[in-house]
Amino acid sequence: MIGEHFSLILLPTLRCDAACDYCFEKKAGADMSIDQLKSLISKVLDYMEQNEAKALSIHWQGGEVMMMSPQWFARAGDVIDRAADSRNVNVRNYIQSNMIGYSKEWNPIIAEMFDNSVGSSMDYPNRHRKLPGGSAADFNAVWIRNVRQAQDAGIHIGVIALPDAETLQRGAENLYSYFTEELNITDFQINTPFAGGPADASKTGYPLDTERLTQFLTELADIWAERGYHQGVRVGPFDELIEYFRGEDAVLPCIWKANCADEFVCIDPQGNIAQCDCWVASYPQFHFGNIFKNDSLAELLRDNPVRHKFLGRPGVLIQKEECPECDYLAICHGGCPVRAYTTYGDLHTKDPYCETYKTVFNQAELISACLARENCS
């Protein structure tokens, strides 16, 4: 049962204007057409109606989503709005872009369809995000220029950063200062990296050393609590964890969902369905089916044996791992399946960053308590 809300990760293209070393996606296939989008949205809304869900979040990703034109998105937004209005469904759209293809022509679409907000990605230091035939420095120059132009237009930019061994060596202070002071980014999130997709030398250090990563994240949390929290800076996952420990409505990262298979799916340009973009663009053996080849999304998801492996994962972890003894099981639920699979080759294993997560949860709980007393130092 999906509850009152459903999320869709939608990849209208797998084309990309970057050439990142550690990318997990296989870039192939044609873009999604407007007619295909109409069919897809109709089936998604049928599925939601059968499950009495009235709110839909669409997370537009790629490839690189800005390889599609602003004009295509204007038509897509109209298609979705008309279909959702006819079913009395509330839709919110979110966009994740590398910002390489951004120009001022995107501003009206970003304002009208995406609430004047774009999610992007940048690492500190950037060693792996590159332009085709270019360097990481070339990528940085274009990204910084375009992000500043977007900020000048009033667009909010949130950033996901992937740490590597050099990030940990340089330390949390340098990363925090880079984003908040040099780039004027006041909303960023640290994600744990994993060696998904084709093998590459850039992924040989994954998963990162747990002890060093844990120290880095706890230092980052302390810096943010002291210097950023009261100034409105958001640093994930700590910002939402603070809300969680306060008993507020928190939106925790997808890696800590009770069961991600209950809450969202991902669909690529060819209509292939998988658990998320990590699976749909890298591991065809884990596809649930194809939405363009099936009349009913509900039947496809109900009957697919691969999806049942995802649905059964929490129960298996309870039986084979030490998760039931963990104080933070209600937050973590065993962590991310793709991080487990890319590390151990086994979907039914806990996240390799388990020990780091435990410390992060404890740190956030302590910070939440001291913020409530207003005596953090």
Side-chain angles (χ1 to χ4, degrees):
M1 182 63 182
I2 65 174
E4 295 184 357
H5 179 266
F6 186 61
S7 292
L8 171 64
I9 303 170
L10 190 54
L11 282 53
T13 182
L14 286 176
R15 293 184 295 136
C16 190
D17 49 9
C20 304
D21 296 335
Y22 53 22
C23 183
F24 55 74
E25 294 184 339
K26 297 177 182 177
K27 308 295 192 300
D31 297 342
M32 184 176 294
S33 71
I34 291 296
D35 285 342
Q36 287 175 320
L37 178 66
K38 289 179 181 178
S39 173
L40 181 157
I41 290 298
S42 177
K43 293 172 185 178
V44 168
L45 293 175
D46 286 345
Y47 174 65
M48 292 178 61
E49 188 173 302
Q50 292 173 37
N51 287 277
E52 300 181 347
K54 288 295 183 181
L56 172 64
S57 295
I58 304 179
H59 300 267
W60 297 85
Q61 299 177 193
E64 166 46 39
V65 73
M66 286 190 184
M67 297 295 287
M68 308 296 279
S69 69
Q71 293 76 23
W72 188 92
F73 267 95
R75 296 177 63 196
D78 184 62
V79 164
I80 293 167
D81 288 344
R82 289 175 182 269
D85 288 346
S86 71
R87 309 285 193 104
N88 195 29
V89 169
N90 179 51
V91 177
R92 291 199 67 179
N93 293 284
Y94 304 86
I95 187 170
Q96 182 75 22
S97 168
N98 64 26
M99 293 296 288
I100 297 303
Y102 167 80
S103 70
K104 63 181 181 181
E105 293 182 83
W106 280 96
N107 291 354
I109 290 296
I110 294 172
E112 295 166 16
M113 191 170 175
F114 299 106
D115 198 26
N116 233 24
S117 180
V118 176
S120 191
S121 300
M122 175 54 71
D123 304 331
Y124 173 78
N126 176 28
R127 298 289 183 241
H128 304 300
R129 300 181 188 275
K130 301 174 182 178
L131 298 181
S135 66
D138 297 329
F139 185 100
N140 284 8
V142 175
W143 187 88
I144 292 171
R145 180 198 68 200
N146 290 352
V147 163
R148 286 176 176 164
Q149 288 180 356
Q151 289 173 325
D152 289 343
I155 296 170
H156 172 79
I157 303 292
V159 173
I160 291 173
L162 290 179
D164 62 13
E166 187 172 354
T167 310
L168 307 187
Q169 182 179 3
R170 293 197 181 192
E173 169 66 40
N174 285 325
L175 177 140
Y176 186 86
S177 297
Y178 177 71
F179 282 117
T180 60
E181 297 174 15
E182 187 170 339
L183 298 182
N184 194 31
I185 298 294
T186 58
D187 182 355
F188 62 93
Q189 174 176 309
I190 307 299
N191 281 6
T192 49
F194 60 95
D200 185 274
S202 65
K203 304 171 187 174
T204 55
Y206 300 154
L208 296 176
D209 179 82
T210 299
E211 184 175 347
R212 294 184 66 194
L213 177 62
T214 301
Q215 180 180 356
F216 172 86
L217 290 174
T218 53
E219 289 175 359
L220 179 62
D222 286 338
I223 292 168
W224 168 69
E226 180 181 353
R227 295 185 1 218
Y229 176 82
H230 291 293
Q231 284 69 46
V233 177
R234 299 188 64 85
V235 176
F238 296 103
D239 51 358
E240 294 293 345
L241 283 170
I242 297 299
E243 296 299 305
Y244 174 87
F245 286 115
R246 285 181 165 180
E248 305 290 340
D249 290 333
V251 182
L252 297 178
C254 63
I255 60 173
W256 298 328
K257 295 292 185 183
N259 192 337
C260 56
D262 281 328
E263 301 194 38
F264 58 84
V265 296
C266 178
I267 304 178
D268 75 5
Q270 285 71 53
N272 297 311
I273 308 172
Q275 189 47 58
C276 71
D277 54 315
C278 307
W279 297 99
V280 78
S282 303
Y283 303 107
Q285 68 272 33
F286 284 96
H287 287 178
F288 300 160
N290 189 291
I291 198 166
F292 299 142
K293 298 178 181 178
N294 290 267
D295 293 332
S296 170
L297 177 61
E299 291 180 6
L300 189 155
L301 295 181
R302 183 192 64 208
D303 299 334
N304 185 266
V306 177
R307 182 168 180 264
H308 281 283
K309 293 181 180 179
F310 285 87
L311 289 170
R313 181 173 181 263
V316 175
L317 294 183
I318 291 297
Q319 296 176 17
K320 67 179 288 191
E321 301 282 6
E322 68 276 12
C323 296
E325 285 74 50
C326 179
D327 291 338
Y328 298 108
L329 176 61
I331 308 176
C332 177
H333 307 283
C336 175
V338 78
R339 284 165 173 76
Y341 180 77
T342 58
T343 302
Y344 307 115
D346 184 0
L347 184 72
H348 296 115
T349 304
K350 68 178 181 178
D351 192 308
Y353 292 107
C354 168
E355 294 304 316
T356 294
Y357 297 157
K358 289 179 184 178
T359 304
V360 165
F361 298 147
N362 180 254
Q363 183 78 353
E365 192 171 17
L366 293 174
I367 291 173
S368 177
C370 80
L371 288 172
R373 297 192 302 269
E374 297 185 353
N375 66 348
C376 283
S377 59

